[in-house]
Amino acid sequence: MFRTIRTTALTALCCAAAVPGLVGCGVLSEVGTDLGSAAEEVQSDLEDAANEVLTEGQLFTGTKTLDVDGASVNVSCSGTPADGRPVIVLMAGMGDGLDTLAGVQETLAEDERVCSYDRLGEGESDQPEGLQSIDDAGATLTAVLEDVAGDGPVVLAGHSLGGLIAARYAPDHQDRVSGLVLLDATSPTMIDDITGVIPESATGEGAEVRAQNLAIFQGENPEGILIDSDPEVRPAGDIPVEVIQHGVRYLGEIAEYGDDLERVWTEGQEQWLALSDRSQLSTAEESGHYIHVDQPDVAVEAIRRVTDEAAA
């Protein structure tokens, strides 16, 4: 999730409920019953029931706001739930709303139940009250999952910071997370990676990249989220994990330090393989950081593979 002033290297471092058309037929046994009033009452009861179903995350389609500890979180869901299939939850990167994943969600929803959401500070969700930790982001994710999947299994597919949050979340929620797809996910040791490559004495573009990224990791970002380096990647159980890295070497464009930044980025992707013995790393050869935009078919196929394995 590197950020740099150079535009070409920015941001390295998202039912209509199944309610049938219901027609109420009242059987009236008392003379003088007001048919019009009874029909209105039945219709009102049906509308209340339909609205109650629409609030159940597992069934709604479209977007809605979810209250999470008094904050409004924007959630989107598509597709029909299927027995034995996990719900897919898409997680955007820093600075992005769920709209950046809309194309992937639409494609996957042809066969799967798929949801996405805006973290606090992103998209249509509320701003956080103060600085957040990765654990705070995980608490918001838990609330979303409880709403859209209930107690059922989920596959998390995260881009950039969304991938890091998903990878940190899964080990502590092995009863819920049955698969992971990490799309150019932020490295678990990103701060150390940057400071190890670009020294404090750097000047020019390198100095700007270093300072900008350190500020972001210290909370100067839309989510107010603090991101620490932590080399420990805890196992998330025997789940399928696909880690996909960019193939277009856009970090290499950063003067003097580009090649080493590309190297540590790849090393960071390899660290995520420790999440599971069923992890695999691949490269989206024609993609920059936004794999789901540059090669959406690569993202979709990986998510489908992991979902199929998780459901087997």
Side-chain angles (χ1 to χ4, degrees), residues 15-20 22 43-56 59:
C15 185
V19 180
L22 299 174
Q43 181 64 29
S44 177
D45 289 345
L46 292 174
E47 289 176 354
D48 288 344
N51 287 333
E52 183 176 348
V53 171
L54 282 168
T55 64
E56 304 250 350
L59 300 178

PDB file of all heavy atoms in Angstrom, residues 15-20 22 43-56 59:
ATOM      1  N   CYS A  15     -32.560  -6.454  -2.070  1.00  0.00           N
ATOM      2  CA  CYS A  15     -33.456  -7.659  -2.403  1.00  0.00           C
ATOM      3  C   CYS A  15     -34.868  -7.328  -2.344  1.00  0.00           C
ATOM      4  O   CYS A  15     -35.501  -7.110  -1.438  1.00  0.00           O
ATOM      5  CB  CYS A  15     -33.313  -8.654  -1.314  1.00  0.00           C
ATOM      6  SG  CYS A  15     -34.080 -10.272  -1.346  1.00  0.00           S
ATOM      7  N   ALA A  16     -34.256  -7.044  -3.272  1.00  0.00           N
ATOM      8  CA  ALA A  16     -35.661  -7.217  -3.095  1.00  0.00           C
ATOM      9  C   ALA A  16     -35.663  -8.544  -2.450  1.00  0.00           C
ATOM     10  O   ALA A  16     -35.218  -9.511  -2.996  1.00  0.00           O
ATOM     11  CB  ALA A  16     -36.359  -7.267  -4.407  1.00  0.00           C
ATOM     12  N   ALA A  17     -36.127  -8.605  -1.220  1.00  0.00           N
ATOM     13  CA  ALA A  17     -36.048  -9.861  -0.479  1.00  0.00           C
ATOM     14  C   ALA A  17     -36.883 -10.896  -1.178  1.00  0.00           C
ATOM     15  O   ALA A  17     -37.756 -10.589  -1.932  1.00  0.00           O
ATOM     16  CB  ALA A  17     -36.584  -9.634   0.907  1.00  0.00           C
ATOM     17  N   ALA A  18     -36.563 -12.169  -0.848  1.00  0.00           N
ATOM     18  CA  ALA A  18     -37.314 -13.238  -1.486  1.00  0.00           C
ATOM     19  C   ALA A  18     -38.672 -13.318  -0.829  1.00  0.00           C
ATOM     20  O   ALA A  18     -39.029 -14.265  -0.141  1.00  0.00           O
ATOM     21  CB  ALA A  18     -36.588 -14.551  -1.333  1.00  0.00           C
ATOM     22  N   VAL A  19     -39.476 -12.272  -1.009  1.00  0.00           N
ATOM     23  CA  VAL A  19     -40.812 -12.237  -0.433  1.00  0.00           C
ATOM     24  C   VAL A  19     -41.786 -12.403  -1.581  1.00  0.00           C
ATOM     25  O   VAL A  19     -41.850 -11.558  -2.457  1.00  0.00           O
ATOM     26  CB  VAL A  19     -41.080 -10.888   0.260  1.00  0.00           C
ATOM     27  CG1 VAL A  19     -42.474 -10.882   0.839  1.00  0.00           C
ATOM     28  CG2 VAL A  19     -40.060 -10.643   1.339  1.00  0.00           C
ATOM     29  N   PRO A  20     -42.540 -13.506  -1.635  1.00  0.00           N
ATOM     30  CA  PRO A  20     -43.463 -13.708  -2.745  1.00  0.00           C
ATOM     31  C   PRO A  20     -44.577 -12.693  -2.706  1.00  0.00           C
ATOM     32  O   PRO A  20     -44.844 -12.074  -1.687  1.00  0.00           O
ATOM     33  CB  PRO A  20     -43.985 -15.134  -2.498  1.00  0.00           C
ATOM     34  CG  PRO A  20     -43.819 -15.348  -1.034  1.00  0.00           C
ATOM     35  CD  PRO A  20     -42.588 -14.567  -0.645  1.00  0.00           C
ATOM     36  N   LEU A  22     -47.794 -11.648  -1.902  1.00  0.00           N
ATOM     37  CA  LEU A  22     -48.732 -12.229  -0.951  1.00  0.00           C
ATOM     38  C   LEU A  22     -50.078 -11.544  -1.070  1.00  0.00           C
ATOM     39  O   LEU A  22     -50.175 -10.333  -1.205  1.00  0.00           O
ATOM     40  CB  LEU A  22     -48.209 -12.071   0.481  1.00  0.00           C
ATOM     41  CG  LEU A  22     -46.864 -12.757   0.762  1.00  0.00           C
ATOM     42  CD1 LEU A  22     -46.398 -12.385   2.161  1.00  0.00           C
ATOM     43  CD2 LEU A  22     -46.985 -14.254   0.645  1.00  0.00           C
ATOM     44  N   GLN A  43     -53.192  -5.899   4.897  1.00  0.00           N
ATOM     45  CA  GLN A  43     -52.127  -5.351   4.058  1.00  0.00           C
ATOM     46  C   GLN A  43     -51.020  -4.730   4.908  1.00  0.00           C
ATOM     47  O   GLN A  43     -49.828  -4.892   4.632  1.00  0.00           O
ATOM     48  CB  GLN A  43     -52.704  -4.297   3.100  1.00  0.00           C
ATOM     49  CG  GLN A  43     -51.680  -3.668   2.158  1.00  0.00           C
ATOM     50  CD  GLN A  43     -51.089  -4.688   1.209  1.00  0.00           C
ATOM     51  OE1 GLN A  43     -51.739  -5.677   0.859  1.00  0.00           O
ATOM     52  NE2 GLN A  43     -49.842  -4.481   0.824  1.00  0.00           N
ATOM     53  N   SER A  44     -51.430  -4.030   5.972  1.00  0.00           N
ATOM     54  CA  SER A  44     -50.446  -3.420   6.864  1.00  0.00           C
ATOM     55  C   SER A  44     -49.586  -4.476   7.536  1.00  0.00           C
ATOM     56  O   SER A  44     -48.367  -4.327   7.647  1.00  0.00           O
ATOM     57  CB  SER A  44     -51.164  -2.577   7.923  1.00  0.00           C
ATOM     58  OG  SER A  44     -50.236  -2.044   8.842  1.00  0.00           O
ATOM     59  N   ASP A  45     -50.225  -5.584   7.974  1.00  0.00           N
ATOM     60  CA  ASP A  45     -49.465  -6.664   8.612  1.00  0.00           C
ATOM     61  C   ASP A  45     -48.472  -7.280   7.648  1.00  0.00           C
ATOM     62  O   ASP A  45     -47.333  -7.608   8.013  1.00  0.00           O
ATOM     63  CB  ASP A  45     -50.422  -7.750   9.126  1.00  0.00           C
ATOM     64  CG  ASP A  45     -51.221  -7.296  10.339  1.00  0.00           C
ATOM     65  OD1 ASP A  45     -50.841  -6.268  10.947  1.00  0.00           O
ATOM     66  OD2 ASP A  45     -52.241  -7.947  10.651  1.00  0.00           O
ATOM     67  N   LEU A  46     -48.911  -7.461   6.378  1.00  0.00           N
ATOM     68  CA  LEU A  46     -48.021  -8.036   5.378  1.00  0.00           C
ATOM     69  C   LEU A  46     -46.839  -7.124   5.093  1.00  0.00           C
ATOM     70  O   LEU A  46     -45.705  -7.574   4.938  1.00  0.00           O
ATOM     71  CB  LEU A  46     -48.788  -8.321   4.080  1.00  0.00           C
ATOM     72  CG  LEU A  46     -49.838  -9.441   4.155  1.00  0.00           C
ATOM     73  CD1 LEU A  46     -50.620  -9.513   2.855  1.00  0.00           C
ATOM     74  CD2 LEU A  46     -49.176 -10.769   4.452  1.00  0.00           C
ATOM     75  N   GLU A  47     -47.101  -5.826   5.027  1.00  0.00           N
ATOM     76  CA  GLU A  47     -46.020  -4.875   4.780  1.00  0.00           C
ATOM     77  C   GLU A  47     -45.032  -4.870   5.938  1.00  0.00           C
ATOM     78  O   GLU A  47     -43.812  -4.811   5.730  1.00  0.00           O
ATOM     79  CB  GLU A  47     -46.592  -3.469   4.553  1.00  0.00           C
ATOM     80  CG  GLU A  47     -47.317  -3.334   3.226  1.00  0.00           C
ATOM     81  CD  GLU A  47     -47.953  -1.969   3.067  1.00  0.00           C
ATOM     82  OE1 GLU A  47     -47.933  -1.173   4.041  1.00  0.00           O
ATOM     83  OE2 GLU A  47     -48.475  -1.686   1.985  1.00  0.00           O
ATOM     84  N   ASP A  48     -45.537  -4.957   7.163  1.00  0.00           N
ATOM     85  CA  ASP A  48     -44.638  -5.010   8.312  1.00  0.00           C
ATOM     86  C   ASP A  48     -43.768  -6.266   8.254  1.00  0.00           C
ATOM     87  O   ASP A  48     -42.568  -6.218   8.551  1.00  0.00           O
ATOM     88  CB  ASP A  48     -45.448  -5.007   9.615  1.00  0.00           C
ATOM     89  CG  ASP A  48     -46.086  -3.648   9.895  1.00  0.00           C
ATOM     90  OD1 ASP A  48     -45.652  -2.654   9.255  1.00  0.00           O
ATOM     91  OD2 ASP A  48     -47.004  -3.593  10.736  1.00  0.00           O
ATOM     92  N   ALA A  49     -44.384  -7.393   7.874  1.00  0.00           N
ATOM     93  CA  ALA A  49     -43.622  -8.633   7.779  1.00  0.00           C
ATOM     94  C   ALA A  49     -42.554  -8.548   6.701  1.00  0.00           C
ATOM     95  O   ALA A  49     -41.424  -8.996   6.882  1.00  0.00           O
ATOM     96  CB  ALA A  49     -44.563  -9.807   7.490  1.00  0.00           C
ATOM     97  N   ALA A  50     -42.918  -7.954   5.571  1.00  0.00           N
ATOM     98  CA  ALA A  50     -41.946  -7.815   4.477  1.00  0.00           C
ATOM     99  C   ALA A  50     -40.806  -6.911   4.886  1.00  0.00           C
ATOM    100  O   ALA A  50     -39.637  -7.207   4.612  1.00  0.00           O
ATOM    101  CB  ALA A  50     -42.642  -7.254   3.232  1.00  0.00           C
ATOM    102  N   ASN A  51     -41.119  -5.822   5.563  1.00  0.00           N
ATOM    103  CA  ASN A  51     -40.066  -4.913   6.004  1.00  0.00           C
ATOM    104  C   ASN A  51     -39.143  -5.593   7.009  1.00  0.00           C
ATOM    105  O   ASN A  51     -37.934  -5.358   7.026  1.00  0.00           O
ATOM    106  CB  ASN A  51     -40.666  -3.651   6.635  1.00  0.00           C
ATOM    107  CG  ASN A  51     -41.280  -2.727   5.598  1.00  0.00           C
ATOM    108  OD1 ASN A  51     -40.858  -2.731   4.441  1.00  0.00           O
ATOM    109  ND2 ASN A  51     -42.268  -1.947   6.007  1.00  0.00           N
ATOM    110  N   GLU A  52     -39.722  -6.459   7.872  1.00  0.00           N
ATOM    111  CA  GLU A  52     -38.895  -7.183   8.840  1.00  0.00           C
ATOM    112  C   GLU A  52     -37.926  -8.106   8.121  1.00  0.00           C
ATOM    113  O   GLU A  52     -36.753  -8.201   8.474  1.00  0.00           O
ATOM    114  CB  GLU A  52     -39.797  -7.977   9.786  1.00  0.00           C
ATOM    115  CG  GLU A  52     -39.019  -8.704  10.870  1.00  0.00           C
ATOM    116  CD  GLU A  52     -39.926  -9.402  11.855  1.00  0.00           C
ATOM    117  OE1 GLU A  52     -41.141  -9.139  11.825  1.00  0.00           O
ATOM    118  OE2 GLU A  52     -39.430 -10.201  12.643  1.00  0.00           O
ATOM    119  N   VAL A  53     -38.406  -8.780   7.075  1.00  0.00           N
ATOM    120  CA  VAL A  53     -37.530  -9.664   6.312  1.00  0.00           C
ATOM    121  C   VAL A  53     -36.442  -8.867   5.619  1.00  0.00           C
ATOM    122  O   VAL A  53     -35.289  -9.275   5.555  1.00  0.00           O
ATOM    123  CB  VAL A  53     -38.351 -10.474   5.282  1.00  0.00           C
ATOM    124  CG1 VAL A  53     -37.421 -11.227   4.334  1.00  0.00           C
ATOM    125  CG2 VAL A  53     -39.284 -11.446   5.984  1.00  0.00           C
ATOM    126  N   LEU A  54     -36.798  -7.692   5.108  1.00  0.00           N
ATOM    127  CA  LEU A  54     -35.814  -6.872   4.400  1.00  0.00           C
ATOM    128  C   LEU A  54     -34.676  -6.419   5.299  1.00  0.00           C
ATOM    129  O   LEU A  54     -33.596  -6.103   4.819  1.00  0.00           O
ATOM    130  CB  LEU A  54     -36.505  -5.646   3.783  1.00  0.00           C
ATOM    131  CG  LEU A  54     -37.284  -5.915   2.495  1.00  0.00           C
ATOM    132  CD1 LEU A  54     -38.145  -4.721   2.148  1.00  0.00           C
ATOM    133  CD2 LEU A  54     -36.356  -6.252   1.346  1.00  0.00           C
ATOM    134  N   THR A  55     -34.914  -6.375   6.607  1.00  0.00           N
ATOM    135  CA  THR A  55     -33.842  -5.964   7.502  1.00  0.00           C
ATOM    136  C   THR A  55     -32.898  -7.115   7.812  1.00  0.00           C
ATOM    137  O   THR A  55     -31.852  -6.917   8.398  1.00  0.00           O
ATOM    138  CB  THR A  55     -34.412  -5.420   8.832  1.00  0.00           C
ATOM    139  OG1 THR A  55     -35.106  -6.463   9.505  1.00  0.00           O
ATOM    140  CG2 THR A  55     -35.340  -4.254   8.580  1.00  0.00           C
ATOM    141  N   GLU A  56     -33.260  -8.330   7.439  1.00  0.00           N
ATOM    142  CA  GLU A  56     -32.401  -9.476   7.700  1.00  0.00           C
ATOM    143  C   GLU A  56     -31.320  -9.509   6.641  1.00  0.00           C
ATOM    144  O   GLU A  56     -31.595  -9.685   5.466  1.00  0.00           O
ATOM    145  CB  GLU A  56     -33.229 -10.757   7.650  1.00  0.00           C
ATOM    146  CG  GLU A  56     -34.395 -10.710   8.604  1.00  0.00           C
ATOM    147  CD  GLU A  56     -34.206 -11.647   9.771  1.00  0.00           C
ATOM    148  OE1 GLU A  56     -33.271 -12.438   9.728  1.00  0.00           O
ATOM    149  OE2 GLU A  56     -34.996 -11.558  10.698  1.00  0.00           O
ATOM    150  N   LEU A  59     -30.956 -11.844   3.541  1.00  0.00           N
ATOM    151  CA  LEU A  59     -31.961 -11.865   2.486  1.00  0.00           C
ATOM    152  C   LEU A  59     -32.008 -10.608   1.632  1.00  0.00           C
ATOM    153  O   LEU A  59     -32.525 -10.654   0.533  1.00  0.00           O
ATOM    154  CB  LEU A  59     -33.345 -12.108   3.099  1.00  0.00           C
ATOM    155  CG  LEU A  59     -33.511 -13.422   3.866  1.00  0.00           C
ATOM    156  CD1 LEU A  59     -34.912 -13.518   4.458  1.00  0.00           C
ATOM    157  CD2 LEU A  59     -33.249 -14.616   2.957  1.00  0.00           C
TER     158      LEU A  59
END
